[in-house]
Amino acid sequence: MLDRVYELFPVLKEMLRRKGGVLSGGQQQQLAIGRALLTDPKLLILDEPTEGIQPSIIEHIGDTLKKLKTSNLSEEERTAQARQESAEIQHAVKELKKDGRLAILLVEQYVDFCRDVADRFYAMDRGAVVVSGPIANLTDEVVKQHLQV
C-alpha cells in the first residue's frame, strides 16, 4: 500500500526525510490522505481536502519554518504552488475512485473540485439535506440558490 501512496503522491517520496510540519499546506494534506490510505479503509472521509491550499490563505498555513520557507516566494509563485498541490490531490481522488475498492465521502466548499471528482452531491442547510442528485445536476443555479452566502 505504501507504493500506492507514493504513486498517488510522488512528492511524499521526495520529502521523505522532512518532518510533516515543514511541508506546505498541500503537501500536509497529501500526507494526511496517504496516512489514512495505509490503513486500507473501506471508506475515506475527506473534510475539505483543498482547504489550506487556496491561494488566498496559503500564507497562513503551517508552522514557522514553513512560513520562513515560503516568505521568499512571490504571490504569483505561491498561487502556482497552491494550484499544483490542489491538482495533485484532485488527481489522487480520481485515481482512488477508479480503483473502486473504496468509498469516498467528500465534504468540500470548492465546487469545481466537487464537480470534477464526485458522482453525487448533497447540499445541506442547518443539518438537513436541501438538494441532492447526480453531480451533473449541480448547476450554477443550484449553487447560487443553495450554496452561496
Side-chain angles (χ1 to χ4, degrees), residues 5 8-12 25-35 84-86 88-89:
V5 170
L8 290 169
F9 303 114
V11 71
L12 295 180
Q27 291 165 346
Q28 288 180 14
Q29 288 285 32
Q30 292 175 54
L31 178 61
I33 295 168
R35 284 183 10 215
Q84 175 64 33
E85 290 168 348
S86 182
E88 289 167 358
I89 292 171

Side-chain angles (χ1 to χ4, degrees), residues 2-3 9 15 17 19 23-24 35 46-47 66 68 74 80 91 99 112 114-115 126 133 147:
L2 186 58
D3 289 338
F9 303 114
M15 304 288 178
R17 299 215 184 274
K19 293 183 180 183
L23 300 176
S24 71
R35 284 183 10 215
L46 299 177
D47 186 8
K66 193 193 129 238
L68 290 172
S74 69
H91 172 75
D99 285 351
D112 290 338
C114 295
R115 284 179 173 148
R126 295 180 183 92
L147 301 177

Side-chain angles (χ1 to χ4, degrees), residues 8 11 18 24 49 54 66 69 80 113 121 125 140:
L8 290 169
V11 71
R18 293 190 186 179
S24 71
Q54 305 276 334
K66 193 193 129 238
K69 182 183 110 181
F113 183 86
F121 77 97
D125 184 18
D140 289 341

